[in-house]
Amino acid sequence: MSRMCEGRVVAVTGAGRGLGRAHALAFAAAGAKVVVNDLGVGLDGTVGAADSPARQVVDEIRAAGGEAVAHGGDVATSAGAASLVTAALETYGRLDTLVNNAGFLRDRMLVNLDEDDWDAVVRVHLKGHFLPLKHAAAHWRAEAKAGRTPVARVVNTSSGAGLLGSLGQGNYSAAKAGVLGLTLVAAAELGRYGVQVNAIAPAARTRMTERTFAETMTAPDAGFDAMAPENVSPLVVWLGSAESEGVTGRVFEAEGGRITVMEGWREGPTVEKGARWMPEEVGEAVRKLLGEAGVPGAVYGT
């Protein structure tokens, strides 16, 4: 693998398993020093085994000749997110790239979705993106104001559920849609400080998706597992490197060997009356517009 991240320091949240682990290993292979964050919780956010998955990933990286340090803080708290940035600065003297990836699921149909399950999922996915981004951005802004403008990168993790919605995942879909809005705002606000912010909507087999991808999918050429999380990481490594200069405020779908630039809400067909509409006039106008508009993508699970 190209050492395109040689000398860079990368923090990856939720990096003990699945996509986060794959990203951490890929960044290390590309020459980065990696802060491996993972709280070590179960799929639903409950406290799991005492053996730290972050430590296991650090051991893997070190065994391969790389450099890494474990961080077990809760990045959905201000103290935990701040300590993630501090861990990078105190261990390696800098922070160049932040990959927000931490999350878990508590799936329910809306009528059965408890308020606690809503709050927990929105907290880890959305607040768990906002707080590390906020603390990293504060550091990078200070660097820029001191005349040391960074070549900083942020990669946020959304989902197809955030783009289209997903049955039984109202909390997760809302949080992942929020990640997209946060990405666009952060890219616009932080560019002046040398920070680029992008998002991915990955599809891969992880603890969170193993029921969805129960059957292993393979490409025509034998040996290529299209649902392996490692397929998503090359895009993340490139977005997190200096090589991605000029790419910001974008959303990419990644699955197997496919990378797609996602195009968000844009103005479609429109009609202008030049005066206030009457309710009885609206139906005909809207139906005509819908007839001219493209068909939206289907909600996952329908």
Side-chain angles (χ1 to χ4, degrees):
M1 178 183 287
S2 166
R3 304 279 289 184
M4 69 167 55
C5 289
E6 194 76 54
R8 292 181 71 81
V9 175
V10 179
V12 184
T13 70
R17 305 180 180 91
L19 283 165
R21 172 182 173 275
H23 300 340
L25 294 174
F27 271 111
K33 300 176 179 67
V34 186
V35 181
V36 180
N37 163 266
D38 202 285
L39 192 56
V41 300
L43 178 60
D44 64 352
T46 55
V47 177
D51 192 18
S52 165
R55 171 57 60 187
Q56 294 173 23
V57 175
V58 167
D59 290 344
E60 285 186 72
I61 290 172
R62 291 177 177 173
E67 295 185 53
V69 64
H71 177 266
D74 181 356
V75 295
T77 68
S78 187
S83 70
L84 176 68
V85 175
T86 299
L89 299 179
E90 291 185 348
T91 306
Y92 300 119
R94 60 186 299 127
L95 175 63
D96 300 290
T97 298
L98 169 65
V99 179
N100 284 315
N101 173 76
F104 56 74
L105 295 176
R106 292 188 184 177
D107 293 352
R108 300 283 191 280
M109 300 300 280
L110 287 174
V111 295
N112 296 319
L113 182 61
D114 292 337
E115 184 177 355
D116 288 347
D117 292 334
W118 172 277
D119 288 345
V121 169
V122 171
R123 174 186 180 274
V124 69
H125 286 280
L126 191 50
K127 194 175 181 182
H129 270 64
F130 160 63
L131 288 173
L133 174 56
K134 173 186 175 179
H135 287 285
H139 165 68
W140 289 324
R141 181 181 65 173
E143 288 291 287
K145 288 187 173 182
R148 300 183 296 269
T149 301
V151 180
R153 305 287 187 262
V154 178
V155 182
N156 291 329
T157 305
S158 184
S159 168
L163 295 165
L164 296 172
S166 179
L167 288 184
Q169 295 188 313
N171 47 5
Y172 178 71
S173 297
K176 287 305 191 183
V179 167
L180 297 176
L182 177 64
T183 298
L184 299 180
V185 172
E189 291 185 356
L190 302 179
R192 72 190 73 180
Y193 306 123
V195 184
Q196 293 183 181
V197 187
N198 294 285
I200 61 167
R205 188 192 315 99
T206 68
R207 288 195 306 166
M208 285 174 50
T209 62
E210 62 185 357
R211 285 178 295 178
T212 303
F213 302 125
E215 298 295 328
T216 300
M217 297 175 60
T218 55
D221 50 327
F224 176 51
D225 180 356
M227 289 293 102
E230 289 78 10
N231 298 328
V232 177
S233 299
L235 171 62
V236 176
V237 169
W238 184 82
L239 288 172
S241 75
E243 298 294 319
S244 63
E245 179 64 32
V247 180
T248 193
R250 293 287 192 164
V251 179
F252 299 87
E253 214 173 44
E255 175 186 343
R258 178 174 61 85
I259 297 172
T260 304
V261 178
M262 305 304 291
E263 297 183 337
W265 293 105
R266 300 175 182 271
E267 289 188 358
T270 186
V271 61
E272 171 58 60
K273 179 181 176 181
R276 180 181 301 138
W277 290 85
M278 298 297 291
E280 57 268 25
E281 298 175 309
V282 170
E284 182 180 354
V286 169
R287 292 187 184 283
K288 182 175 185 297
L289 292 177
L290 292 175
E292 298 170 356
V295 178
V299 172
Y300 285 97
T302 59

